[in-house]
Amino acid sequence: MTKWIDEFRQGWQGNFQPSLPVAIAVALLCLALATGARYGLAQLRPDVFFTPYFPAVFFATAFGGFRIGIATAIASGLLGIVFNFSNTTVDPARFALLMIFWAVCGIAIWGVEHYRSLVMQQREDSKRLIEEEQYRKLVVEELQHRLKNKSSTIHAVLHQALQDRPDVWERIDHRIRALSATDDLIARVDGYGCDIKDLLRSELGPYGHVRFTLNGEQLFLPAKLAVSLALIFHELATNAGKYGAFSSPRGFLQVSWTVDDDRLNVIWDETEGPAVETVGEAGFGTKLLKSALRPFDGKTEISYLKTGVHCTMQCRLPSS
C-alpha cells in the first residue's frame, strides 16, 4: 500500500511514469467516484450523462498519461450511454452529447499531456543546470587549491633564495601572506558575502596598515557584489603599489563609503603619490574597472589629479 501511495505521489508530480497497474487502478477509482457523483446528480436532474466524468478524465490523464486518459474518456462515454439512473431512454441527442464529450476530452487530454511534457522538460533542464553548477564549483575549488599550493611554493622558494637578505624578505613576506589571505577571502565571498571593511583590509593589508584609512559604517556585501568590488579594489591597490600612493614613501590612501537608500557610494582617494603625467590607452584593468559594476546598475569614474588617483564607485545594493 505504501508503495502505491508513493507511486501515486511521484506520478502526480510528474517525476516518472507510474506502472500500468497503478495507473489503471487510479483511472478505475476516478471512474467509480465520477459514477457515484453522476448517480447523486441524477436524483436532481436526470439528463446529466457525461459532465461528472470530465474530472475523472482530467485526473487520470494527469497521473497516468494520455493513453490512460484516452481509455478513461472512452470508458466514461460508454458508462454515460449504458447506465441510466432515471427513467430517461437513450436517444440520438445523447449520442450527440457523447461526441461533444469526447471532443472536449480530446482537447483536455492534449492540454494535460502538453503540460506534463513541459514540466518534465523543465525538470530535466533544472537537473542539468544543477549538475553543471556542481561541476563548476568542483573545478573552481580545484583551481583554488592549486593556486594556494603555487602560492605556498613561491613563498617557500623566495624564503630560501632570500635567506641572506632578511631585510628584503621582511618587506615581501607579509605581502605574499596577505595576498594569499585575499584569495581565501574571495573564495569564501563567492558563496556567502563579507563585510566591506574585511574586504578592504584584505586587499590593502600588504601595503601596510598605516598607509590607508577606512571610513564608513559596517556594511555586509552580498556574494556577487563583494566579488565585483574585490576585483576593483585589487586592481586599484595594484596600480597604487606600482604607480600611485603606495609607490611613494609619503603616499596615503583614504577609502570612504556611504549608503543612500539602496545605492552604495565608494570613494577611493590617493594623496602624496607621484604626479600622473600621461594616461596611456585603456588596458584590461581600466576596462575591468569600468564594467565590473554594470550588473548592479553601477558605474566607476577615475580621475587623475595632481594629488593622486581619485576614483568613485556607485552601484545598487542587492536586496538579499
Side-chain angles (χ1 to χ4, degrees), residues 3-13 18 22 26 63:
K3 180 181 178 181
W4 278 40
I5 294 175
D6 184 65
E7 287 190 15
F8 179 84
R9 180 176 59 84
Q10 296 289 335
W12 179 254
Q13 295 175 352
V22 174
V26 171
F63 177 73

Side-chain angles (χ1 to χ4, degrees), residues 1-123:
M1 188 64 179
T2 304
K3 180 181 178 181
W4 278 40
I5 294 175
D6 184 65
E7 287 190 15
F8 179 84
R9 180 176 59 84
Q10 296 289 335
W12 179 254
Q13 295 175 352
N15 293 334
F16 77 106
Q17 187 68 26
S19 61
L20 184 60
V22 174
I24 293 175
V26 171
L28 292 175
L29 176 62
C30 292
L31 287 172
L33 293 175
T35 303
R38 181 190 166 200
Y39 173 78
L41 291 174
Q43 308 307 313
L44 303 175
R45 183 164 181 170
D47 60 346
V48 177
F49 307 116
F50 306 106
T51 304
Y53 293 106
F54 281 117
V57 175
F58 175 82
F59 284 108
T61 306
F63 177 73
F66 74 97
R67 293 183 178 86
I68 296 296
I70 293 173
T72 305
I74 295 173
S76 298
L78 296 177
L79 289 173
I81 294 293
V82 173
F83 285 102
N84 289 312
F85 297 112
S86 61
N87 295 327
T88 58
T89 58
V90 179
D91 55 6
R94 191 183 297 195
F95 286 101
L97 291 175
L98 174 63
M99 296 299 106
I100 296 174
F101 170 74
W102 277 342
V104 175
C105 285
I107 297 174
I109 291 171
W110 175 85
V112 171
E113 186 62 22
H114 181 65
Y115 171 78
R116 280 166 55 90
S117 63
L118 290 178
V119 170
M120 293 180 66
Q121 182 63 42
Q122 186 179 32
R123 184 175 288 109

Side-chain angles (χ1 to χ4, degrees), residues 187-214:
R188 294 195 302 271
V189 158
D190 189 36
Y192 305 103
C194 69
D195 188 88
I196 188 172
K197 283 188 177 181
D198 293 336
L199 185 60
L200 284 164
R201 289 193 185 104
S202 178
E203 291 290 348
L204 302 176
Y207 304 98
H209 290 279
V210 298
R211 304 292 299 274
F212 64 89
T213 60
L214 306 178

